PDB file of all heavy atoms in Angstrom:
ATOM      1  N   VAL A 155      17.255   7.024  -1.695  1.00 98.00           N
ATOM      2  CA  VAL A 155      15.827   7.039  -1.462  1.00 98.00           C
ATOM      3  C   VAL A 155      15.217   5.903  -2.293  1.00 98.00           C
ATOM      4  O   VAL A 155      15.310   5.923  -3.532  1.00 98.00           O
ATOM      5  CB  VAL A 155      15.219   8.390  -1.840  1.00 98.00           C
ATOM      6  CG1 VAL A 155      13.734   8.436  -1.537  1.00 98.00           C
ATOM      7  CG2 VAL A 155      15.927   9.520  -1.099  1.00 98.00           C
ATOM      8  N   PRO A 160       4.525   7.167  -5.863  1.00 92.00           N
ATOM      9  CA  PRO A 160       4.920   8.570  -5.905  1.00 92.00           C
ATOM     10  C   PRO A 160       5.763   9.017  -4.688  1.00 92.00           C
ATOM     11  O   PRO A 160       6.513   9.969  -4.765  1.00 92.00           O
ATOM     12  CB  PRO A 160       3.597   9.328  -5.931  1.00 92.00           C
ATOM     13  CG  PRO A 160       2.593   8.370  -5.396  1.00 92.00           C
ATOM     14  CD  PRO A 160       3.077   6.992  -5.681  1.00 92.00           C
ATOM     15  N   LEU A 161       5.633   8.259  -3.559  1.00 95.00           N
ATOM     16  CA  LEU A 161       6.278   8.691  -2.327  1.00 95.00           C
ATOM     17  C   LEU A 161       7.800   8.795  -2.485  1.00 95.00           C
ATOM     18  O   LEU A 161       8.442   9.678  -1.912  1.00 95.00           O
ATOM     19  CB  LEU A 161       5.926   7.710  -1.193  1.00 95.00           C
ATOM     20  CG  LEU A 161       5.845   8.267   0.220  1.00 95.00           C
ATOM     21  CD1 LEU A 161       4.981   9.498   0.304  1.00 95.00           C
ATOM     22  CD2 LEU A 161       5.346   7.198   1.187  1.00 95.00           C
ATOM     23  N   VAL A 162       8.384   7.906  -3.318  1.00 96.00           N
ATOM     24  CA  VAL A 162       9.831   7.893  -3.473  1.00 96.00           C
ATOM     25  C   VAL A 162      10.314   9.209  -4.095  1.00 96.00           C
ATOM     26  O   VAL A 162      11.337   9.781  -3.704  1.00 96.00           O
ATOM     27  CB  VAL A 162      10.280   6.621  -4.263  1.00 96.00           C
ATOM     28  CG1 VAL A 162       9.937   6.697  -5.728  1.00 96.00           C
ATOM     29  CG2 VAL A 162      11.759   6.364  -4.089  1.00 96.00           C
ATOM     30  N   PHE A 163       9.519   9.745  -5.039  1.00 96.00           N
ATOM     31  CA  PHE A 163       9.917  11.001  -5.697  1.00 96.00           C
ATOM     32  C   PHE A 163       9.627  12.204  -4.791  1.00 96.00           C
ATOM     33  O   PHE A 163      10.360  13.173  -4.779  1.00 96.00           O
ATOM     34  CB  PHE A 163       9.194  11.154  -7.035  1.00 96.00           C
ATOM     35  CG  PHE A 163       9.607  10.039  -7.993  1.00 96.00           C
ATOM     36  CD1 PHE A 163       8.702   9.039  -8.335  1.00 96.00           C
ATOM     37  CD2 PHE A 163      10.879   9.981  -8.487  1.00 96.00           C
ATOM     38  CE1 PHE A 163       9.081   8.009  -9.160  1.00 96.00           C
ATOM     39  CE2 PHE A 163      11.282   8.933  -9.331  1.00 96.00           C
ATOM     40  CZ  PHE A 163      10.368   7.951  -9.664  1.00 96.00           C
ATOM     41  N   PHE A 164       8.547  12.112  -4.003  1.00 96.00           N
ATOM     42  CA  PHE A 164       8.220  13.183  -3.057  1.00 96.00           C
ATOM     43  C   PHE A 164       9.352  13.304  -2.027  1.00 96.00           C
ATOM     44  O   PHE A 164       9.871  14.406  -1.777  1.00 96.00           O
ATOM     45  CB  PHE A 164       6.878  12.908  -2.376  1.00 96.00           C
ATOM     46  CG  PHE A 164       6.558  13.878  -1.275  1.00 96.00           C
ATOM     47  CD1 PHE A 164       6.393  15.224  -1.539  1.00 96.00           C
ATOM     48  CD2 PHE A 164       6.401  13.438   0.044  1.00 96.00           C
ATOM     49  CE1 PHE A 164       6.088  16.128  -0.528  1.00 96.00           C
ATOM     50  CE2 PHE A 164       6.104  14.336   1.055  1.00 96.00           C
ATOM     51  CZ  PHE A 164       5.946  15.687   0.775  1.00 96.00           C
ATOM     52  N   VAL A 165       9.748  12.162  -1.466  1.00 97.00           N
ATOM     53  CA  VAL A 165      10.783  12.188  -0.416  1.00 97.00           C
ATOM     54  C   VAL A 165      12.102  12.716  -0.991  1.00 97.00           C
ATOM     55  O   VAL A 165      12.778  13.573  -0.395  1.00 97.00           O
ATOM     56  CB  VAL A 165      10.947  10.794   0.219  1.00 97.00           C
ATOM     57  CG1 VAL A 165      12.182  10.707   1.100  1.00 97.00           C
ATOM     58  CG2 VAL A 165       9.695  10.449   1.045  1.00 97.00           C
ATOM     59  N   ALA A 166      12.481  12.228  -2.194  1.00 97.00           N
ATOM     60  CA  ALA A 166      13.746  12.691  -2.795  1.00 97.00           C
ATOM     61  C   ALA A 166      13.700  14.195  -3.054  1.00 97.00           C
ATOM     62  O   ALA A 166      14.667  14.916  -2.762  1.00 97.00           O
ATOM     63  CB  ALA A 166      14.001  11.924  -4.090  1.00 97.00           C
ATOM     64  N   SER A 167      12.577  14.699  -3.553  1.00 95.00           N
ATOM     65  CA  SER A 167      12.577  16.133  -3.857  1.00 95.00           C
ATOM     66  C   SER A 167      12.513  16.967  -2.575  1.00 95.00           C
ATOM     67  O   SER A 167      13.051  18.064  -2.522  1.00 95.00           O
ATOM     68  CB  SER A 167      11.477  16.507  -4.846  1.00 95.00           C
ATOM     69  OG  SER A 167      10.257  16.198  -4.308  1.00 95.00           O
ATOM     70  N   GLU A 168      11.876  16.443  -1.518  1.00 95.00           N
ATOM     71  CA  GLU A 168      11.876  17.154  -0.225  1.00 95.00           C
ATOM     72  C   GLU A 168      13.285  17.237   0.349  1.00 95.00           C
ATOM     73  O   GLU A 168      13.693  18.247   0.901  1.00 95.00           O
ATOM     74  CB  GLU A 168      10.949  16.476   0.783  1.00 95.00           C
ATOM     75  CG  GLU A 168       9.475  16.795   0.599  1.00 95.00           C
ATOM     76  CD  GLU A 168       9.180  18.281   0.806  1.00 95.00           C
ATOM     77  OE1 GLU A 168       9.039  18.717   1.958  1.00 95.00           O
ATOM     78  OE2 GLU A 168       9.103  18.997  -0.212  1.00 95.00           O
ATOM     79  N   ILE A 169      14.061  16.136   0.228  1.00 97.00           N
ATOM     80  CA  ILE A 169      15.436  16.156   0.740  1.00 97.00           C
ATOM     81  C   ILE A 169      16.216  17.244   0.022  1.00 97.00           C
ATOM     82  O   ILE A 169      16.943  18.031   0.630  1.00 97.00           O
ATOM     83  CB  ILE A 169      16.108  14.760   0.537  1.00 97.00           C
ATOM     84  CG1 ILE A 169      15.483  13.746   1.483  1.00 97.00           C
ATOM     85  CG2 ILE A 169      17.631  14.843   0.744  1.00 97.00           C
ATOM     86  CD1 ILE A 169      15.994  12.327   1.368  1.00 97.00           C
ATOM     87  N   ARG A 170      16.020  17.353  -1.285  1.00 96.00           N
ATOM     88  CA  ARG A 170      16.753  18.397  -2.049  1.00 96.00           C
ATOM     89  C   ARG A 170      16.271  19.795  -1.648  1.00 96.00           C
ATOM     90  O   ARG A 170      17.060  20.698  -1.454  1.00 96.00           O
ATOM     91  CB  ARG A 170      16.551  18.162  -3.548  1.00 96.00           C
ATOM     92  CG  ARG A 170      17.454  17.059  -4.053  1.00 96.00           C
ATOM     93  CD  ARG A 170      17.392  16.859  -5.554  1.00 96.00           C
ATOM     94  NE  ARG A 170      17.141  18.048  -6.332  1.00 96.00           N
ATOM     95  CZ  ARG A 170      18.044  19.009  -6.572  1.00 96.00           C
ATOM     96  NH1 ARG A 170      19.265  18.907  -6.106  1.00 96.00           N
ATOM     97  NH2 ARG A 170      17.716  20.074  -7.291  1.00 96.00           N
ATOM     98  N   ARG A 171      14.960  19.940  -1.480  1.00 94.00           N
ATOM     99  CA  ARG A 171      14.423  21.263  -1.099  1.00 94.00           C
ATOM    100  C   ARG A 171      14.981  21.727   0.241  1.00 94.00           C
ATOM    101  O   ARG A 171      15.233  22.907   0.453  1.00 94.00           O
ATOM    102  CB  ARG A 171      12.886  21.191  -1.032  1.00 94.00           C
ATOM    103  CG  ARG A 171      12.194  22.518  -0.792  1.00 94.00           C
ATOM    104  CD  ARG A 171      10.685  22.373  -0.751  1.00 94.00           C
ATOM    105  NE  ARG A 171      10.208  21.686   0.436  1.00 94.00           N
ATOM    106  CZ  ARG A 171      10.012  22.243   1.625  1.00 94.00           C
ATOM    107  NH1 ARG A 171      10.238  23.510   1.797  1.00 94.00           N
ATOM    108  NH2 ARG A 171       9.575  21.532   2.652  1.00 94.00           N
ATOM    109  N   GLY A 174      19.535  18.811   1.424  1.00 96.00           N
ATOM    110  CA  GLY A 174      20.290  17.567   1.501  1.00 96.00           C
ATOM    111  C   GLY A 174      20.692  17.073   0.103  1.00 96.00           C
ATOM    112  O   GLY A 174      20.308  17.656  -0.904  1.00 96.00           O
ATOM    113  N   THR A 175      21.444  15.991   0.084  1.00 97.00           N
ATOM    114  CA  THR A 175      21.876  15.398  -1.194  1.00 97.00           C
ATOM    115  C   THR A 175      21.212  14.037  -1.366  1.00 97.00           C
ATOM    116  O   THR A 175      21.183  13.244  -0.417  1.00 97.00           O
ATOM    117  CB  THR A 175      23.415  15.210  -1.180  1.00 97.00           C
ATOM    118  OG1 THR A 175      23.997  16.491  -0.991  1.00 97.00           O
ATOM    119  CG2 THR A 175      23.919  14.614  -2.480  1.00 97.00           C
ATOM    120  N   VAL A 176      20.681  13.814  -2.561  1.00 98.00           N
ATOM    121  CA  VAL A 176      20.110  12.498  -2.853  1.00 98.00           C
ATOM    122  C   VAL A 176      21.162  11.742  -3.677  1.00 98.00           C
ATOM    123  O   VAL A 176      21.479  12.135  -4.807  1.00 98.00           O
ATOM    124  CB  VAL A 176      18.781  12.623  -3.636  1.00 98.00           C
ATOM    125  CG1 VAL A 176      18.229  11.244  -3.995  1.00 98.00           C
ATOM    126  CG2 VAL A 176      17.772  13.413  -2.824  1.00 98.00           C
ATOM    127  N   ALA A 177      21.724  10.687  -3.073  1.00 98.00           N
ATOM    128  CA  ALA A 177      22.774   9.924  -3.776  1.00 98.00           C
ATOM    129  C   ALA A 177      22.168   9.156  -4.937  1.00 98.00           C
ATOM    130  O   ALA A 177      22.799   8.993  -5.981  1.00 98.00           O
ATOM    131  CB  ALA A 177      23.463   8.987  -2.795  1.00 98.00           C
ATOM    132  N   ALA A 178      20.944   8.671  -4.774  1.00 98.00           N
ATOM    133  CA  ALA A 178      20.260   7.947  -5.859  1.00 98.00           C
ATOM    134  C   ALA A 178      18.800   7.730  -5.474  1.00 98.00           C
ATOM    135  O   ALA A 178      18.461   7.658  -4.280  1.00 98.00           O
ATOM    136  CB  ALA A 178      20.914   6.590  -6.107  1.00 98.00           C
ATOM    137  N   VAL A 179      17.949   7.628  -6.483  1.00 98.00           N
ATOM    138  CA  VAL A 179      16.569   7.199  -6.271  1.00 98.00           C
ATOM    139  C   VAL A 179      16.473   5.790  -6.858  1.00 98.00           C
ATOM    140  O   VAL A 179      16.936   5.548  -7.983  1.00 98.00           O
ATOM    141  CB  VAL A 179      15.582   8.142  -6.998  1.00 98.00           C
ATOM    142  CG1 VAL A 179      14.165   7.593  -6.966  1.00 98.00           C
ATOM    143  CG2 VAL A 179      15.612   9.525  -6.368  1.00 98.00           C
ATOM    144  N   VAL A 180      15.902   4.884  -6.084  1.00 97.00           N
ATOM    145  CA  VAL A 180      15.819   3.486  -6.512  1.00 97.00           C
ATOM    146  C   VAL A 180      14.355   3.064  -6.434  1.00 97.00           C
ATOM    147  O   VAL A 180      13.735   3.148  -5.365  1.00 97.00           O
ATOM    148  CB  VAL A 180      16.653   2.567  -5.580  1.00 97.00           C
ATOM    149  CG1 VAL A 180      16.650   1.136  -6.089  1.00 97.00           C
ATOM    150  CG2 VAL A 180      18.075   3.097  -5.452  1.00 97.00           C
ATOM    151  N   GLY A 205       3.598  15.672  -9.390  1.00 91.00           N
ATOM    152  CA  GLY A 205       4.511  14.516  -9.406  1.00 91.00           C
ATOM    153  C   GLY A 205       5.531  14.643 -10.528  1.00 91.00           C
ATOM    154  O   GLY A 205       6.714  14.340 -10.352  1.00 91.00           O
ATOM    155  N   GLY A 206       5.066  15.112 -11.694  1.00 92.00           N
ATOM    156  CA  GLY A 206       5.955  15.298 -12.849  1.00 92.00           C
ATOM    157  C   GLY A 206       7.069  16.290 -12.515  1.00 92.00           C
ATOM    158  O   GLY A 206       8.223  16.102 -12.909  1.00 92.00           O
ATOM    159  N   ARG A 207       6.725  17.315 -11.731  1.00 93.00           N
ATOM    160  CA  ARG A 207       7.746  18.311 -11.367  1.00 93.00           C
ATOM    161  C   ARG A 207       8.803  17.728 -10.430  1.00 93.00           C
ATOM    162  O   ARG A 207       9.980  18.070 -10.516  1.00 93.00           O
ATOM    163  CB  ARG A 207       7.081  19.543 -10.735  1.00 93.00           C
ATOM    164  CG  ARG A 207       6.510  20.431 -11.833  1.00 93.00           C
ATOM    165  CD  ARG A 207       5.795  21.630 -11.302  1.00 93.00           C
ATOM    166  NE  ARG A 207       6.510  22.320 -10.228  1.00 93.00           N
ATOM    167  CZ  ARG A 207       5.930  23.189  -9.417  1.00 93.00           C
ATOM    168  NH1 ARG A 207       4.658  23.469  -9.553  1.00 93.00           N
ATOM    169  NH2 ARG A 207       6.608  23.776  -8.473  1.00 93.00           N
ATOM    170  N   TRP A 208       8.374  16.809  -9.543  1.00 95.00           N
ATOM    171  CA  TRP A 208       9.379  16.164  -8.644  1.00 95.00           C
ATOM    172  C   TRP A 208      10.403  15.414  -9.493  1.00 95.00           C
ATOM    173  O   TRP A 208      11.601  15.521  -9.270  1.00 95.00           O
ATOM    174  CB  TRP A 208       8.707  15.161  -7.691  1.00 95.00           C
ATOM    175  CG  TRP A 208       7.746  15.745  -6.705  1.00 95.00           C
ATOM    176  CD1 TRP A 208       7.755  17.017  -6.199  1.00 95.00           C
ATOM    177  CD2 TRP A 208       6.627  15.068  -6.126  1.00 95.00           C
ATOM    178  NE1 TRP A 208       6.717  17.174  -5.329  1.00 95.00           N
ATOM    179  CE2 TRP A 208       6.007  16.002  -5.250  1.00 95.00           C
ATOM    180  CE3 TRP A 208       6.102  13.794  -6.219  1.00 95.00           C
ATOM    181  CZ2 TRP A 208       4.871  15.681  -4.502  1.00 95.00           C
ATOM    182  CZ3 TRP A 208       4.979  13.461  -5.459  1.00 95.00           C
ATOM    183  CH2 TRP A 208       4.368  14.394  -4.631  1.00 95.00           C
ATOM    184  N   VAL A 209       9.899  14.622 -10.450  1.00 94.00           N
ATOM    185  CA  VAL A 209      10.810  13.802 -11.278  1.00 94.00           C
ATOM    186  C   VAL A 209      11.692  14.725 -12.115  1.00 94.00           C
ATOM    187  O   VAL A 209      12.905  14.518 -12.208  1.00 94.00           O
ATOM    188  CB  VAL A 209      10.010  12.826 -12.172  1.00 94.00           C
ATOM    189  CG1 VAL A 209      10.956  11.966 -13.011  1.00 94.00           C
ATOM    190  CG2 VAL A 209       9.098  11.936 -11.336  1.00 94.00           C
ATOM    191  N   ALA A 210      11.098  15.767 -12.715  1.00 95.00           N
ATOM    192  CA  ALA A 210      11.870  16.687 -13.571  1.00 95.00           C
ATOM    193  C   ALA A 210      12.992  17.356 -12.764  1.00 95.00           C
ATOM    194  O   ALA A 210      14.123  17.449 -13.220  1.00 95.00           O
ATOM    195  CB  ALA A 210      10.947  17.730 -14.170  1.00 95.00           C
ATOM    196  N   ASP A 211      12.663  17.744 -11.520  1.00 94.00           N
ATOM    197  CA  ASP A 211      13.667  18.400 -10.669  1.00 94.00           C
ATOM    198  C   ASP A 211      14.853  17.476 -10.411  1.00 94.00           C
ATOM    199  O   ASP A 211      16.014  17.864 -10.496  1.00 94.00           O
ATOM    200  CB  ASP A 211      13.006  18.802  -9.334  1.00 94.00           C
ATOM    201  CG  ASP A 211      14.036  19.149  -8.280  1.00 94.00           C
ATOM    202  OD1 ASP A 211      14.767  20.116  -8.471  1.00 94.00           O
ATOM    203  OD2 ASP A 211      14.122  18.418  -7.256  1.00 94.00           O
ATOM    204  N   LEU A 212      14.533  16.190 -10.171  1.00 96.00           N
ATOM    205  CA  LEU A 212      15.618  15.221  -9.901  1.00 96.00           C
ATOM    206  C   LEU A 212      16.472  15.010 -11.149  1.00 96.00           C
ATOM    207  O   LEU A 212      17.693  14.933 -11.085  1.00 96.00           O
ATOM    208  CB  LEU A 212      15.022  13.885  -9.438  1.00 96.00           C
ATOM    209  CG  LEU A 212      14.305  13.918  -8.084  1.00 96.00           C
ATOM    210  CD1 LEU A 212      13.447  12.685  -7.872  1.00 96.00           C
ATOM    211  CD2 LEU A 212      15.337  14.043  -6.946  1.00 96.00           C
ATOM    212  N   MET A 213      15.790  14.940 -12.315  1.00 95.00           N
ATOM    213  CA  MET A 213      16.528  14.699 -13.547  1.00 95.00           C
ATOM    214  C   MET A 213      17.411  15.911 -13.887  1.00 95.00           C
ATOM    215  O   MET A 213      18.561  15.756 -14.287  1.00 95.00           O
ATOM    216  CB  MET A 213      15.559  14.385 -14.683  1.00 95.00           C
ATOM    217  CG  MET A 213      14.946  13.002 -14.505  1.00 95.00           C
ATOM    218  SD  MET A 213      13.592  12.678 -15.586  1.00 95.00           S
ATOM    219  CE  MET A 213      14.389  11.910 -16.921  1.00 95.00           C
ATOM    220  N   LEU A 214      16.861  17.119 -13.696  1.00 96.00           N
ATOM    221  CA  LEU A 214      17.644  18.333 -13.986  1.00 96.00           C
ATOM    222  C   LEU A 214      18.875  18.414 -13.090  1.00 96.00           C
ATOM    223  O   LEU A 214      19.909  18.935 -13.486  1.00 96.00           O
ATOM    224  CB  LEU A 214      16.778  19.583 -13.814  1.00 96.00           C
ATOM    225  CG  LEU A 214      15.755  19.827 -14.935  1.00 96.00           C
ATOM    226  CD1 LEU A 214      14.844  20.992 -14.594  1.00 96.00           C
ATOM    227  CD2 LEU A 214      16.483  20.090 -16.247  1.00 96.00           C
ATOM    228  N   ALA A 215      18.733  17.902 -11.858  1.00 96.00           N
ATOM    229  CA  ALA A 215      19.859  17.939 -10.920  1.00 96.00           C
ATOM    230  C   ALA A 215      20.782  16.737 -11.119  1.00 96.00           C
ATOM    231  O   ALA A 215      21.700  16.529 -10.323  1.00 96.00           O
ATOM    232  CB  ALA A 215      19.336  17.961  -9.494  1.00 96.00           C
ATOM    233  N   SER A 216      20.537  15.956 -12.166  1.00 97.00           N
ATOM    234  CA  SER A 216      21.351  14.768 -12.503  1.00 97.00           C
ATOM    235  C   SER A 216      21.402  13.747 -11.363  1.00 97.00           C
ATOM    236  O   SER A 216      22.417  13.077 -11.156  1.00 97.00           O
ATOM    237  CB  SER A 216      22.785  15.149 -12.887  1.00 97.00           C
ATOM    238  OG  SER A 216      22.771  16.078 -13.918  1.00 97.00           O
ATOM    239  N   VAL A 217      20.317  13.656 -10.581  1.00 97.00           N
ATOM    240  CA  VAL A 217      20.239  12.592  -9.550  1.00 97.00           C
ATOM    241  C   VAL A 217      19.989  11.281 -10.284  1.00 97.00           C
ATOM    242  O   VAL A 217      19.048  11.179 -11.070  1.00 97.00           O
ATOM    243  CB  VAL A 217      19.082  12.874  -8.559  1.00 97.00           C
ATOM    244  CG1 VAL A 217      18.886  11.705  -7.607  1.00 97.00           C
ATOM    245  CG2 VAL A 217      19.333  14.162  -7.784  1.00 97.00           C
ATOM    246  N   PRO A 218      20.837  10.261 -10.073  1.00 98.00           N
ATOM    247  CA  PRO A 218      20.592   8.990 -10.774  1.00 98.00           C
ATOM    248  C   PRO A 218      19.263   8.353 -10.317  1.00 98.00           C
ATOM    249  O   PRO A 218      19.003   8.263  -9.107  1.00 98.00           O
ATOM    250  CB  PRO A 218      21.776   8.108 -10.385  1.00 98.00           C
ATOM    251  CG  PRO A 218      22.620   8.876  -9.445  1.00 98.00           C
ATOM    252  CD  PRO A 218      22.028  10.231  -9.214  1.00 98.00           C
ATOM    253  N   ILE A 219      18.438   7.980 -11.279  1.00 97.00           N
ATOM    254  CA  ILE A 219      17.182   7.271 -10.940  1.00 97.00           C
ATOM    255  C   ILE A 219      17.297   5.856 -11.487  1.00 97.00           C
ATOM    256  O   ILE A 219      17.451   5.675 -12.699  1.00 97.00           O
ATOM    257  CB  ILE A 219      15.949   7.979 -11.541  1.00 97.00           C
ATOM    258  CG1 ILE A 219      15.859   9.432 -11.053  1.00 97.00           C
ATOM    259  CG2 ILE A 219      14.662   7.236 -11.181  1.00 97.00           C
ATOM    260  CD1 ILE A 219      14.689  10.223 -11.607  1.00 97.00           C
ATOM    261  N   TRP A 221      15.355   2.925 -12.298  1.00 96.00           N
ATOM    262  CA  TRP A 221      14.010   2.353 -12.514  1.00 96.00           C
ATOM    263  C   TRP A 221      14.144   0.835 -12.549  1.00 96.00           C
ATOM    264  O   TRP A 221      15.140   0.323 -13.073  1.00 96.00           O
ATOM    265  CB  TRP A 221      13.442   2.824 -13.854  1.00 96.00           C
ATOM    266  CG  TRP A 221      13.301   4.300 -14.006  1.00 96.00           C
ATOM    267  CD1 TRP A 221      14.209   5.142 -14.558  1.00 96.00           C
ATOM    268  CD2 TRP A 221      12.184   5.116 -13.621  1.00 96.00           C
ATOM    269  NE1 TRP A 221      13.741   6.441 -14.553  1.00 96.00           N
ATOM    270  CE2 TRP A 221      12.496   6.446 -13.976  1.00 96.00           C
ATOM    271  CE3 TRP A 221      10.963   4.860 -13.011  1.00 96.00           C
ATOM    272  CZ2 TRP A 221      11.633   7.509 -13.752  1.00 96.00           C
ATOM    273  CZ3 TRP A 221      10.110   5.910 -12.796  1.00 96.00           C
ATOM    274  CH2 TRP A 221      10.420   7.222 -13.147  1.00 96.00           C
TER     275      TRP A 221
END
Side-chain angles (χ1 to χ4, degrees):
V155 183
L161 211 51
V162 73
F163 297 109
F164 173 62
V165 168
S167 61
E168 280 297 278
I169 289 178
R170 281 185 33 75
R171 186 179 71 82
T175 300
V176 178
V179 171
V180 184
R207 280 178 44 197
W208 296 333
V209 181
D211 165 64
L212 294 165
M213 288 169 93
L214 285 173
S216 305
V217 172
I219 302 179
W221 301 94

